[in-house]
Amino acid sequence: MKLPSLNMQILLGALSGVGMGLWLAGMGPSSAATQHGLYAAGLIGTVFIDLLKMILVPLVFTSIAVGVANLRAHRQMHRVWLATLGFFVFSMAVAIVLGLTAINWFEPGKGLNLALFHDAMQNFEAKQMTLGEFAQGFLHGLFVNPFAALAQGNVLAIVIFALFVGIALVAGGERYRNILALLQEGLELTLRIVGWIMRLAPLGIMALLVKLVATQDAALLATLGKFVVVIIGTTLLHGAVLLPLILYLVTGVTPLKFWRGAREALVTAFATSSSSATLPVTLRCVEQHLHVKPEIAGFVVPLGATINMDGTALYEAAAALFVANLAGIDLNLMQQLIVFFTAMLGAIGAPGIPSAGMVTMVMVLQSVGLPAEAIAILLPIDRVLDAFRTAVNVEGDMVGSLVVQKLVRAAA
Ligand code: ASP
């Protein structure tokens, strides 16, 4: 019997994961079926994520170094840079404006009297972290001993070092052809391993979704219902309407065609809540299904996975406004502008791991004098929201690589 395509298997895995999760949730947490089911799902899901993380570091390093080095042939390096950073900033700005507008419009925090919030506020002590301090910490984290960065899986620092290596390879030209060839073969080898890991993806995604759905506390989601709906709604609006529209206007790629090529990565991002863990899949989709040239994809996608996070930017801005709503504070235009910038920095600074946005969120709150403790209300509902925003984060990287490819070609 011929198996359905991997793409189809992943979709089927995701759907059955959600179905089984709902079924287990219905059985109640103490039933033997739920306990055994969750144990098995936890085991398989963890192994799948571990495998992705295992291959992540060699993949990021080789793909960026080779990507940058190969741009040399096109004499387009600076255009790719400009287009990439320009697109990242632009799409995150659109996402933040969308998030701010939605919360201003729907005011989901008004009239909500949460005991949880008051508790959180009670032991509020102003820990100050200014924008300056955040920027300093961020800069400090960029340049790290590459061996330590590789060993610790510090993706941002690896990206930076790989950029240096790539640029040095370009500058040195022929002199380093052996090192370039070695890296190129290393990249091929890594991608081959990614291909093997992907065979496990349908099962891994199913397991992760069983766990996500079965262990989410529905009552908690309902308490913050309006906020949850507004966030998921705007995140989907950005991901299903705005990004595809930008993509279509710039490149002519239709939403359907994009979805077909991108869905493996979107579903993986949703299930893992981690842009970094999804990176091997994203890169595969972009190169193999969406036909972005490896030198562009190898540069845009790993960089995007670390710094381009539309969903996170949208969420951080919206959540800050929501917290202000809850506290009965109206943020004026100037303060909302501060939220705009800190949310962008927060999204850039957040590593692509689950709930990372929650950590940088603290800075956004504090930049306009809101208590960091308010995170206590947001954390328990974060698993579900994180799944949506991570999918949009990854989508932004894929759209970005297509847009950059088009812009660079058009200018050539
Ligand atoms: N989980 C997100 C990601 O990996 C980051 C976040 O928490 O917003 O893209």
Side-chain angles (χ1 to χ4, degrees), residues 341-408:
F341 284 113
T342 45
M344 187 165 309
L345 274 185
I348 293 176
I353 55 176
S355 285
M358 282 284 116
V359 179
T360 53
M361 174 90 223
V362 172
M363 174 200 58
V364 184
L365 292 174
Q366 291 184 341
S367 70
V368 283
L370 293 166
E373 280 74 4
I375 296 282
I377 334 165
L378 302 173
L379 258 184
I381 54 164
D382 197 49
R383 298 197 33 212
V384 170
L385 299 182
D386 197 7
F388 283 94
R389 65 173 189 263
T390 307
V392 170
N393 289 345
V394 166
E395 181 188 356
D397 304 336
M398 291 191 279
V399 169
S401 64
L402 284 159
V403 166
V404 169
Q405 168 156 280
K406 177 74 185 185
L407 291 179
V408 171

Short mmCIF file of all heavy atoms in Angstrom, two decimals, residues 341-408:
data_model
loop_
_atom_site.label_atom_id
_atom_site.label_comp_id
_atom_site.label_asym_id
_atom_site.label_seq_id
_atom_site.Cartn_x
_atom_site.Cartn_y
_atom_site.Cartn_z
N PHE A 341 7.39 50.23 20.30
CA PHE A 341 8.82 49.97 20.14
C PHE A 341 9.31 48.85 21.05
O PHE A 341 10.10 48.00 20.63
CB PHE A 341 9.63 51.24 20.39
CG PHE A 341 9.55 52.18 19.24
CD1 PHE A 341 8.91 53.40 19.36
CD2 PHE A 341 10.07 51.83 17.99
CE1 PHE A 341 8.80 54.27 18.28
CE2 PHE A 341 9.96 52.69 16.91
CZ PHE A 341 9.33 53.91 17.05
N THR A 342 8.83 48.84 22.28
CA THR A 342 9.32 47.78 23.17
C THR A 342 8.79 46.42 22.73
O THR A 342 9.49 45.41 22.85
CB THR A 342 8.94 48.04 24.65
OG1 THR A 342 7.59 48.43 24.70
CG2 THR A 342 9.81 49.08 25.28
N ALA A 343 7.56 46.40 22.20
CA ALA A 343 7.03 45.11 21.74
C ALA A 343 7.87 44.59 20.58
O ALA A 343 8.14 43.39 20.48
CB ALA A 343 5.57 45.25 21.31
N MET A 344 8.32 45.52 19.74
CA MET A 344 9.15 45.06 18.62
C MET A 344 10.49 44.52 19.14
O MET A 344 10.94 43.44 18.74
CB MET A 344 9.37 46.17 17.61
CG MET A 344 10.08 45.63 16.41
SD MET A 344 10.08 46.61 14.92
CE MET A 344 8.47 47.07 14.56
N LEU A 345 11.09 45.26 20.06
CA LEU A 345 12.35 44.79 20.64
C LEU A 345 12.15 43.47 21.38
O LEU A 345 12.99 42.56 21.30
CB LEU A 345 12.89 45.83 21.63
CG LEU A 345 13.72 46.95 21.05
CD1 LEU A 345 14.28 47.81 22.18
CD2 LEU A 345 14.88 46.38 20.24
N GLY A 346 11.04 43.39 22.08
CA GLY A 346 10.74 42.16 22.83
C GLY A 346 10.62 40.98 21.90
O GLY A 346 11.11 39.88 22.19
N ALA A 347 9.98 41.18 20.76
CA ALA A 347 9.80 40.09 19.80
C ALA A 347 11.15 39.71 19.17
O ALA A 347 11.47 38.54 19.00
CB ALA A 347 8.81 40.48 18.72
N ILE A 348 11.95 40.73 18.87
CA ILE A 348 13.27 40.46 18.28
C ILE A 348 14.14 39.70 19.29
O ILE A 348 14.84 38.75 18.95
CB ILE A 348 13.96 41.79 17.88
CG1 ILE A 348 13.20 42.43 16.73
CG2 ILE A 348 15.42 41.56 17.51
CD1 ILE A 348 13.72 43.80 16.31
N GLY A 349 14.04 40.12 20.55
CA GLY A 349 14.91 39.53 21.57
C GLY A 349 14.44 38.16 22.06
O GLY A 349 15.22 37.42 22.64
N ALA A 350 13.18 37.82 21.83
CA ALA A 350 12.68 36.55 22.35
C ALA A 350 13.27 35.39 21.56
O ALA A 350 13.18 35.39 20.33
CB ALA A 350 11.16 36.50 22.27
N PRO A 351 13.89 34.42 22.25
CA PRO A 351 14.35 33.26 21.50
C PRO A 351 13.15 32.43 21.03
O PRO A 351 12.06 32.57 21.58
CB PRO A 351 15.17 32.48 22.53
CG PRO A 351 14.74 32.98 23.86
CD PRO A 351 14.17 34.35 23.67
N GLY A 352 13.36 31.60 20.01
CA GLY A 352 12.23 30.84 19.47
C GLY A 352 11.89 29.60 20.26
O GLY A 352 11.91 28.49 19.73
N ILE A 353 11.62 29.77 21.54
CA ILE A 353 11.25 28.61 22.36
C ILE A 353 9.90 28.86 23.01
O ILE A 353 9.45 30.01 23.07
CB ILE A 353 12.33 28.33 23.44
CG1 ILE A 353 12.56 29.58 24.28
CG2 ILE A 353 13.62 27.87 22.82
CD1 ILE A 353 13.52 29.38 25.43
N PRO A 354 9.25 27.82 23.52
CA PRO A 354 7.91 28.03 24.07
C PRO A 354 7.86 29.09 25.16
O PRO A 354 8.73 29.15 26.03
CB PRO A 354 7.53 26.66 24.63
CG PRO A 354 8.32 25.70 23.82
CD PRO A 354 9.61 26.40 23.52
N SER A 355 6.87 29.96 25.07
CA SER A 355 6.61 31.01 26.05
C SER A 355 7.75 32.01 26.24
O SER A 355 7.76 32.75 27.22
CB SER A 355 6.23 30.43 27.42
OG SER A 355 4.91 29.95 27.34
N ALA A 356 8.67 32.07 25.31
CA ALA A 356 9.77 33.03 25.43
C ALA A 356 9.23 34.45 25.44
O ALA A 356 9.77 35.34 26.10
CB ALA A 356 10.75 32.86 24.28
N GLY A 357 8.15 34.65 24.70
CA GLY A 357 7.56 35.99 24.62
C GLY A 357 7.14 36.50 25.99
O GLY A 357 7.16 37.71 26.25
N MET A 358 6.80 35.58 26.88
CA MET A 358 6.37 35.98 28.22
C MET A 358 7.51 36.66 28.98
O MET A 358 7.29 37.53 29.81
CB MET A 358 5.96 34.73 29.01
CG MET A 358 4.61 34.21 28.66
SD MET A 358 3.37 35.26 29.40
CE MET A 358 2.63 35.87 27.97
N VAL A 359 8.73 36.20 28.71
CA VAL A 359 9.87 36.74 29.42
C VAL A 359 10.16 38.17 28.97
O VAL A 359 10.31 39.09 29.77
CB VAL A 359 11.11 35.84 29.22
CG1 VAL A 359 12.31 36.40 29.94
CG2 VAL A 359 10.81 34.43 29.66
N THR A 360 10.18 38.36 27.64
CA THR A 360 10.49 39.72 27.17
C THR A 360 9.29 40.65 27.37
O THR A 360 9.43 41.86 27.34
CB THR A 360 10.93 39.72 25.69
OG1 THR A 360 9.94 39.04 24.92
CG2 THR A 360 12.26 39.03 25.52
N MET A 361 8.13 40.07 27.57
CA MET A 361 6.92 40.83 27.86
C MET A 361 7.09 41.73 29.09
O MET A 361 6.55 42.82 29.17
CB MET A 361 5.83 39.79 28.11
CG MET A 361 4.51 40.26 28.57
SD MET A 361 3.53 40.55 27.14
CE MET A 361 2.84 42.06 27.67
N VAL A 362 7.89 41.23 30.04
CA VAL A 362 8.11 42.00 31.27
C VAL A 362 8.64 43.39 30.95
O VAL A 362 8.19 44.39 31.51
CB VAL A 362 9.13 41.24 32.16
CG1 VAL A 362 9.55 42.08 33.35
CG2 VAL A 362 8.53 39.92 32.62
N MET A 363 9.55 43.44 29.98
CA MET A 363 10.10 44.73 29.62
C MET A 363 9.04 45.66 29.04
O MET A 363 8.99 46.85 29.33
CB MET A 363 11.22 44.51 28.60
CG MET A 363 11.75 45.80 28.08
SD MET A 363 12.60 45.60 26.52
CE MET A 363 11.36 44.90 25.48
N VAL A 364 8.16 45.10 28.22
CA VAL A 364 7.11 45.91 27.61
C VAL A 364 6.22 46.51 28.71
O VAL A 364 5.89 47.69 28.69
CB VAL A 364 6.25 45.07 26.64
CG1 VAL A 364 5.22 45.94 25.95
CG2 VAL A 364 7.12 44.36 25.63
N LEU A 365 5.86 45.67 29.68
CA LEU A 365 4.99 46.15 30.76
C LEU A 365 5.69 47.26 31.53
O LEU A 365 5.11 48.31 31.81
CB LEU A 365 4.66 44.99 31.71
CG LEU A 365 3.76 43.89 31.13
CD1 LEU A 365 3.62 42.75 32.13
CD2 LEU A 365 2.38 44.45 30.79
N GLN A 366 6.95 47.00 31.85
CA GLN A 366 7.64 47.96 32.70
C GLN A 366 7.94 49.26 31.98
O GLN A 366 8.05 50.30 32.60
CB GLN A 366 8.91 47.34 33.26
CG GLN A 366 8.56 46.25 34.25
CD GLN A 366 9.77 45.66 34.92
OE1 GLN A 366 10.88 45.78 34.42
NE2 GLN A 366 9.56 45.00 36.03
N SER A 367 8.03 49.21 30.68
CA SER A 367 8.36 50.43 29.95
C SER A 367 7.27 51.48 30.10
O SER A 367 7.50 52.66 29.92
CB SER A 367 8.61 50.12 28.46
OG SER A 367 7.38 49.77 27.85
N VAL A 368 6.05 51.05 30.40
CA VAL A 368 4.98 52.04 30.62
C VAL A 368 4.44 51.95 32.04
O VAL A 368 3.31 52.34 32.32
CB VAL A 368 3.83 51.87 29.60
CG1 VAL A 368 4.21 52.45 28.26
CG2 VAL A 368 3.42 50.41 29.46
N GLY A 369 5.29 51.43 32.94
CA GLY A 369 4.94 51.47 34.36
C GLY A 369 3.88 50.47 34.78
O GLY A 369 3.23 50.64 35.81
N LEU A 370 3.69 49.40 34.02
CA LEU A 370 2.73 48.38 34.44
C LEU A 370 3.47 47.30 35.21
O LEU A 370 4.64 47.05 34.97
CB LEU A 370 2.03 47.77 33.21
CG LEU A 370 1.12 48.73 32.45
CD1 LEU A 370 0.76 48.15 31.09
CD2 LEU A 370 -0.14 49.01 33.26
N PRO A 371 2.79 46.65 36.16
CA PRO A 371 3.48 45.67 37.00
C PRO A 371 3.84 44.39 36.25
O PRO A 371 2.99 43.80 35.57
CB PRO A 371 2.46 45.35 38.09
CG PRO A 371 1.15 45.66 37.47
CD PRO A 371 1.37 46.79 36.52
N ALA A 372 5.08 43.97 36.39
CA ALA A 372 5.53 42.74 35.74
C ALA A 372 4.75 41.54 36.26
O ALA A 372 4.58 40.54 35.57
CB ALA A 372 7.02 42.54 35.99
N GLU A 373 4.25 41.65 37.49
CA GLU A 373 3.53 40.54 38.10
C GLU A 373 2.28 40.15 37.32
O GLU A 373 1.74 39.07 37.47
CB GLU A 373 3.14 40.89 39.53
CG GLU A 373 4.26 40.73 40.54
CD GLU A 373 5.28 41.84 40.41
OE1 GLU A 373 5.08 42.76 39.59
OE2 GLU A 373 6.30 41.77 41.11
N ALA A 374 1.81 41.07 36.48
CA ALA A 374 0.60 40.78 35.70
C ALA A 374 0.80 39.56 34.81
O ALA A 374 -0.16 38.94 34.35
CB ALA A 374 0.21 41.98 34.87
N ILE A 375 2.07 39.20 34.59
CA ILE A 375 2.37 37.99 33.82
C ILE A 375 1.66 36.78 34.42
O ILE A 375 1.31 35.84 33.73
CB ILE A 375 3.91 37.73 33.86
CG1 ILE A 375 4.66 38.85 33.20
CG2 ILE A 375 4.26 36.41 33.24
CD1 ILE A 375 4.64 38.81 31.72
N ALA A 376 1.44 36.86 35.74
CA ALA A 376 0.79 35.74 36.42
C ALA A 376 -0.58 35.40 35.81
O ALA A 376 -0.99 34.25 35.83
CB ALA A 376 0.64 36.05 37.91
N ILE A 377 -1.27 36.40 35.28
CA ILE A 377 -2.58 36.10 34.67
C ILE A 377 -2.40 35.52 33.28
O ILE A 377 -3.22 34.75 32.82
CB ILE A 377 -3.42 37.38 34.44
CG1 ILE A 377 -3.04 38.47 35.40
CG2 ILE A 377 -4.89 37.08 34.42
CD1 ILE A 377 -3.56 39.80 34.96
N LEU A 378 -1.33 35.94 32.62
CA LEU A 378 -1.18 35.55 31.22
C LEU A 378 -0.55 34.16 31.07
O LEU A 378 -0.85 33.43 30.13
CB LEU A 378 -0.32 36.58 30.48
CG LEU A 378 -0.87 38.02 30.54
CD1 LEU A 378 0.13 38.99 29.92
CD2 LEU A 378 -2.21 38.13 29.81
N LEU A 379 0.31 33.82 32.01
CA LEU A 379 1.05 32.55 31.87
C LEU A 379 0.16 31.31 31.76
O LEU A 379 0.39 30.47 30.89
CB LEU A 379 2.03 32.40 33.03
CG LEU A 379 3.48 32.71 32.69
CD1 LEU A 379 4.37 32.43 33.90
CD2 LEU A 379 3.97 31.88 31.50
N PRO A 380 -0.85 31.20 32.63
CA PRO A 380 -1.63 29.95 32.57
C PRO A 380 -2.37 29.74 31.25
O PRO A 380 -2.74 28.61 30.93
CB PRO A 380 -2.64 30.11 33.72
CG PRO A 380 -2.12 31.21 34.56
CD PRO A 380 -1.29 32.08 33.71
N ILE A 381 -2.62 30.82 30.51
CA ILE A 381 -3.33 30.63 29.24
C ILE A 381 -2.36 30.67 28.06
O ILE A 381 -2.75 30.68 26.90
CB ILE A 381 -4.41 31.71 29.01
CG1 ILE A 381 -3.81 33.11 29.13
CG2 ILE A 381 -5.57 31.54 29.97
CD1 ILE A 381 -4.69 34.19 28.56
N ASP A 382 -1.05 30.68 28.38
CA ASP A 382 -0.10 30.94 27.30
C ASP A 382 0.10 29.79 26.33
O ASP A 382 0.47 30.00 25.18
CB ASP A 382 1.25 31.37 27.87
CG ASP A 382 2.09 32.04 26.80
OD1 ASP A 382 1.55 32.92 26.12
OD2 ASP A 382 3.24 31.64 26.60
N ARG A 383 -0.15 28.58 26.77
CA ARG A 383 0.18 27.45 25.88
C ARG A 383 -0.60 27.51 24.58
O ARG A 383 -0.05 27.28 23.51
CB ARG A 383 -0.08 26.14 26.61
CG ARG A 383 0.81 26.05 27.83
CD ARG A 383 0.93 24.67 28.38
NE ARG A 383 0.86 23.65 27.39
CZ ARG A 383 0.34 22.45 27.63
NH1 ARG A 383 -0.17 22.19 28.81
NH2 ARG A 383 0.33 21.54 26.69
N VAL A 384 -1.89 27.82 24.73
CA VAL A 384 -2.71 27.86 23.52
C VAL A 384 -2.35 29.07 22.66
O VAL A 384 -2.17 28.97 21.44
CB VAL A 384 -4.20 27.91 23.91
CG1 VAL A 384 -5.05 28.21 22.70
CG2 VAL A 384 -4.61 26.60 24.55
N LEU A 385 -2.20 30.23 23.31
CA LEU A 385 -1.89 31.44 22.53
C LEU A 385 -0.52 31.31 21.86
O LEU A 385 -0.31 31.77 20.74
CB LEU A 385 -1.94 32.67 23.44
CG LEU A 385 -3.30 32.93 24.10
CD1 LEU A 385 -3.25 34.19 24.95
CD2 LEU A 385 -4.39 33.07 23.06
N ASP A 386 0.41 30.67 22.57
CA ASP A 386 1.76 30.50 22.04
C ASP A 386 1.73 29.67 20.74
O ASP A 386 2.46 29.94 19.79
CB ASP A 386 2.64 29.80 23.10
CG ASP A 386 4.11 29.95 22.83
OD1 ASP A 386 4.47 30.71 21.90
OD2 ASP A 386 4.92 29.32 23.53
N ALA A 387 0.85 28.66 20.72
CA ALA A 387 0.76 27.82 19.52
C ALA A 387 0.38 28.68 18.31
O ALA A 387 1.01 28.60 17.24
CB ALA A 387 -0.28 26.73 19.74
N PHE A 388 -0.61 29.56 18.49
CA PHE A 388 -1.03 30.39 17.37
C PHE A 388 0.06 31.39 16.97
O PHE A 388 0.36 31.57 15.80
CB PHE A 388 -2.31 31.16 17.73
CG PHE A 388 -3.54 30.29 17.68
CD1 PHE A 388 -4.01 29.65 18.82
CD2 PHE A 388 -4.22 30.10 16.48
CE1 PHE A 388 -5.12 28.83 18.77
CE2 PHE A 388 -5.34 29.29 16.42
CZ PHE A 388 -5.80 28.65 17.58
N ARG A 389 0.65 32.03 17.99
CA ARG A 389 1.62 33.07 17.59
C ARG A 389 2.88 32.46 16.99
O ARG A 389 3.48 33.04 16.08
CB ARG A 389 1.90 34.05 18.72
CG ARG A 389 2.58 33.54 19.95
CD ARG A 389 2.95 34.69 20.90
NE ARG A 389 3.78 34.20 21.96
CZ ARG A 389 3.34 33.86 23.16
NH1 ARG A 389 2.09 33.99 23.47
NH2 ARG A 389 4.18 33.40 24.07
N THR A 390 3.27 31.28 17.45
CA THR A 390 4.45 30.66 16.87
C THR A 390 4.21 30.30 15.41
O THR A 390 5.09 30.48 14.55
CB THR A 390 4.86 29.40 17.67
OG1 THR A 390 4.98 29.75 19.05
CG2 THR A 390 6.18 28.85 17.19
N ALA A 391 2.99 29.81 15.10
CA ALA A 391 2.69 29.48 13.70
C ALA A 391 2.81 30.72 12.83
O ALA A 391 3.38 30.68 11.74
CB ALA A 391 1.29 28.87 13.60
N VAL A 392 2.31 31.86 13.35
CA VAL A 392 2.40 33.09 12.57
C VAL A 392 3.85 33.60 12.51
O VAL A 392 4.28 34.14 11.48
CB VAL A 392 1.43 34.16 13.13
CG1 VAL A 392 1.66 35.51 12.49
CG2 VAL A 392 0.00 33.71 12.89
N ASN A 393 4.60 33.39 13.59
CA ASN A 393 6.03 33.76 13.55
C ASN A 393 6.73 33.04 12.40
O ASN A 393 7.49 33.64 11.63
CB ASN A 393 6.73 33.36 14.85
CG ASN A 393 6.32 34.23 16.03
OD1 ASN A 393 5.73 35.30 15.84
ND2 ASN A 393 6.63 33.78 17.23
N VAL A 394 6.47 31.75 12.31
CA VAL A 394 7.14 30.93 11.30
C VAL A 394 6.62 31.28 9.90
O VAL A 394 7.38 31.35 8.93
CB VAL A 394 6.94 29.43 11.63
CG1 VAL A 394 7.31 28.56 10.46
CG2 VAL A 394 7.76 29.05 12.85
N GLU A 395 5.33 31.56 9.83
CA GLU A 395 4.77 31.97 8.54
C GLU A 395 5.46 33.24 8.04
O GLU A 395 5.80 33.36 6.86
CB GLU A 395 3.27 32.23 8.70
CG GLU A 395 2.61 32.64 7.39
CD GLU A 395 1.16 33.08 7.56
OE1 GLU A 395 0.64 32.99 8.70
OE2 GLU A 395 0.56 33.51 6.57
N GLY A 396 5.69 34.19 8.96
CA GLY A 396 6.35 35.44 8.59
C GLY A 396 7.73 35.18 7.97
O GLY A 396 8.13 35.85 7.02
N ASP A 397 8.44 34.19 8.50
CA ASP A 397 9.77 33.89 7.96
C ASP A 397 9.67 33.32 6.54
O ASP A 397 10.49 33.63 5.67
CB ASP A 397 10.50 32.86 8.84
CG ASP A 397 10.60 33.34 10.28
OD1 ASP A 397 10.55 34.57 10.48
OD2 ASP A 397 10.71 32.50 11.18
N MET A 398 8.65 32.49 6.34
CA MET A 398 8.51 31.89 5.00
C MET A 398 8.07 32.94 3.99
O MET A 398 8.61 33.01 2.88
CB MET A 398 7.51 30.73 5.07
CG MET A 398 8.05 29.55 5.86
SD MET A 398 7.07 28.06 5.71
CE MET A 398 5.79 28.39 6.87
N VAL A 399 7.09 33.77 4.38
CA VAL A 399 6.65 34.85 3.50
C VAL A 399 7.85 35.76 3.21
O VAL A 399 8.10 36.15 2.07
CB VAL A 399 5.49 35.66 4.14
CG1 VAL A 399 5.21 36.92 3.37
CG2 VAL A 399 4.24 34.80 4.22
N GLY A 400 8.62 36.05 4.28
CA GLY A 400 9.79 36.91 4.13
C GLY A 400 10.76 36.39 3.08
O GLY A 400 11.25 37.15 2.25
N SER A 401 11.02 35.08 3.10
CA SER A 401 12.02 34.56 2.16
C SER A 401 11.52 34.69 0.72
O SER A 401 12.30 34.99 -0.20
CB SER A 401 12.39 33.12 2.50
OG SER A 401 11.27 32.29 2.35
N LEU A 402 10.21 34.49 0.52
CA LEU A 402 9.67 34.65 -0.84
C LEU A 402 9.72 36.11 -1.28
O LEU A 402 10.07 36.43 -2.42
CB LEU A 402 8.23 34.15 -0.88
CG LEU A 402 8.06 32.62 -0.90
CD1 LEU A 402 6.69 32.22 -0.43
CD2 LEU A 402 8.32 32.09 -2.30
N VAL A 403 9.37 37.01 -0.34
CA VAL A 403 9.36 38.44 -0.67
C VAL A 403 10.79 38.90 -0.99
O VAL A 403 11.03 39.58 -2.00
CB VAL A 403 8.76 39.26 0.50
CG1 VAL A 403 9.05 40.74 0.34
CG2 VAL A 403 7.26 39.02 0.59
N VAL A 404 11.74 38.49 -0.15
CA VAL A 404 13.12 38.92 -0.37
C VAL A 404 13.62 38.41 -1.73
O VAL A 404 14.22 39.14 -2.51
CB VAL A 404 14.04 38.43 0.77
CG1 VAL A 404 15.50 38.62 0.42
CG2 VAL A 404 13.71 39.16 2.05
N GLN A 405 13.32 37.16 -2.01
CA GLN A 405 13.77 36.60 -3.29
C GLN A 405 13.24 37.43 -4.46
O GLN A 405 13.94 37.75 -5.41
CB GLN A 405 13.29 35.16 -3.42
CG GLN A 405 13.46 34.59 -4.81
CD GLN A 405 13.55 33.07 -4.80
OE1 GLN A 405 14.60 32.50 -4.52
NE2 GLN A 405 12.46 32.44 -5.12
N LYS A 406 11.96 37.80 -4.34
CA LYS A 406 11.34 38.57 -5.41
C LYS A 406 11.97 39.96 -5.52
O LYS A 406 12.31 40.42 -6.61
CB LYS A 406 9.83 38.68 -5.11
CG LYS A 406 9.06 39.50 -6.08
CD LYS A 406 8.89 38.76 -7.37
CE LYS A 406 8.22 39.65 -8.40
NZ LYS A 406 7.92 38.95 -9.61
N LEU A 407 12.13 40.63 -4.37
CA LEU A 407 12.65 41.99 -4.40
C LEU A 407 14.07 42.01 -4.96
O LEU A 407 14.43 42.88 -5.74
CB LEU A 407 12.66 42.58 -2.97
CG LEU A 407 11.28 42.87 -2.37
CD1 LEU A 407 11.43 43.42 -0.96
CD2 LEU A 407 10.48 43.83 -3.24
N VAL A 408 14.87 41.03 -4.56
CA VAL A 408 16.25 41.00 -5.01
C VAL A 408 16.30 40.73 -6.52
O VAL A 408 17.07 41.35 -7.26
CB VAL A 408 17.05 39.94 -4.24
CG1 VAL A 408 18.40 39.74 -4.83
CG2 VAL A 408 17.15 40.35 -2.78
#
